[in-house]
Amino acid sequence: MEFLATLPNNLLLYVVVAHALFAIGLYGMLFRRTLIGFLISLELLLQGVGINIMAFGTYLVEDPMQARITTLFIIGIAAAEAAVFLGIAVAVFRNYQTIGVDDLSKLKG
Amino acid sequence: MFDTVIHNVYYLSFAMILILVLGGGIIAVTSQNLIYCFFGLVASLLGVAGLYYNLGSPLVAVMQIMIYIGAVCVAIAFGVSLTRKAGDEGVNPPDIKAAIPIVLVTAMLGSTIKGLEGRHIVASAHKIDESRIGWMLLKEYLFPFEIISILLTVAVIGAVTIALINRRI
């Protein structure tokens, strides 16, 4: 019970949650069938990374500001990456009428 | 008496945040319907914002909600509705490949915990004055800050250009 009471302020919990989110995202990258599903899994991966950076920066460093600024930059770059990814997905859908990753095999040989 | 009630509500909310993060992620990855995936992603992002708040940073939590749920998720919703085709979505059934994330992430977690052994916890998650972020962004982090804005502009213009070109590859 003593351990449970300190759980919301425990570095290890955040690390485990971040890694679990990373594993979920990796699973989605392997088993999703569409490009949009890939994008959703990619966002989950980036969330895992962000939680890790925030947790380490909060508990292991004197000044937590650097971790927060890094997390803000990660959020900004993820927004840019999502925009580019969606543009590519729409372009692929216009040209091939599908975004299923198993059907996009024109360069397969 | 009142104090214990407050504490119980706090722990309950933290458990709900954890359920939101992991449950939303699992729904986002395993659901057959892309719309359910989308809402799972929204739930997971909301839970991550709650985790940031618990780590003592309301600013990053608000930024997470504004940028991810307000911008990225709306863009994903447009992407889903623009590229939907019946019978195209869903997940492949799990097979031996499912061992890859489990093994990889377990190894990562083990090495992380081993690397944490010598480190001491020097701070705790408490609220501090966050107005320093603005000063830091405009002083020592000025160059990355400007580069991010250029990157966002270029990325959005590039995405619109890619999506609007109407020619057969």
Side-chain angles (χ1 to χ4, degrees):
Chain A
M1 211 53 211
E2 190 72 22
F3 175 69
L4 273 183
T6 61
L7 211 50
N9 202 359
N10 193 342
L11 170 64
L12 218 53
L13 175 80
Y14 290 98
V15 172
V16 169
V17 169
H19 280 74
L21 212 54
F22 197 87
I24 290 171
L26 214 54
Y27 179 88
M29 293 289 274
L30 286 171
F31 287 101
R32 275 271 153 215
R33 269 198 212 132
T34 59
L35 288 180
I36 301 287
F38 270 34
L39 179 57
I40 290 175
S41 308
L42 200 60
E43 298 294 339
L44 290 178
L45 283 177
L46 285 168
Q47 293 311 305
V49 175
I51 295 175
N52 250 344
I53 290 180
M54 276 291 285
F56 287 143
T58 304
Y59 286 107
L60 296 181
V61 188
E62 295 280 350
D63 183 18
M65 282 304 171
Q66 292 183 348
R68 291 173 188 185
I69 288 179
T70 311
T71 311
L72 285 180
F73 283 155
I74 288 178
I75 291 175
I77 290 178
E81 162 260 322
V84 173
F85 199 107
L86 281 169
I88 292 176
V90 171
V92 165
F93 185 76
R94 280 203 182 166
N95 285 306
Y96 294 99
Q97 274 73 46
T98 176
I99 55 166
V101 287
D102 293 330
D103 305 328
L104 301 174
S105 54
K106 198 171 183 180
L107 288 177
K108 204 172 177 182
Chain B
M1 163 64 191
F2 187 67
D3 213 32
T4 52
V5 169
I6 293 287
H7 268 88
N8 285 336
V9 168
Y10 172 63
Y11 291 129
L12 208 63
S13 68
F14 192 76
M16 280 169 67
I17 285 172
L18 289 186
I19 291 171
L20 212 57
V21 171
L22 295 177
I26 288 172
I27 288 175
V29 162
T30 57
S31 171
Q32 294 290 331
N33 191 336
L34 263 184
I35 302 292
Y36 291 164
C37 289
F38 169 69
F39 282 114
L41 178 70
V42 171
S44 191
L45 295 175
L46 207 58
V48 172
L51 281 185
Y52 287 158
Y53 188 84
N54 249 297
L55 279 171
S57 177
L59 180 90
V60 180
V62 170
M63 279 297 156
Q64 164 93 4
I65 290 177
M66 271 171 48
I67 296 179
Y68 267 112
I69 300 177
V72 174
C73 277
V74 172
I76 290 178
F78 272 106
V80 169
S81 57
L82 279 177
T83 60
R84 254 188 133 194
K85 206 176 111 187
D88 216 12
E89 50 200 41
V91 285
N92 293 323
D95 55 6
I96 187 67
K97 273 193 301 180
I100 296 177
I102 295 172
V103 171
L104 197 66
V105 171
T106 310
M108 277 165 56
L109 190 59
S111 58
T112 307
I113 289 174
K114 192 155 171 22
L116 280 178
E117 266 174 6
R119 303 295 298 264
H120 297 290
I121 291 181
V122 298
S124 125
H126 56 282
K127 238 178 255 172
I128 54 172
D129 184 19
E130 286 199 304
S131 60
R132 257 174 58 223
I133 282 188
W135 286 109
M136 287 174 83
L137 277 179
L138 288 182
K139 278 181 178 165
E140 55 253 60
Y141 290 92
L142 180 62
F143 186 65
F145 188 57
E146 294 298 324
I147 290 292
I148 283 274
S149 55
I150 293 175
L151 174 80
L152 272 172
T153 315
V154 170
V156 171
I157 292 175
V160 171
T161 315
I162 291 174
L164 284 186
I165 289 176
N166 199 3
R167 61 157 191 231
R168 304 269 155 185
I169 295 174

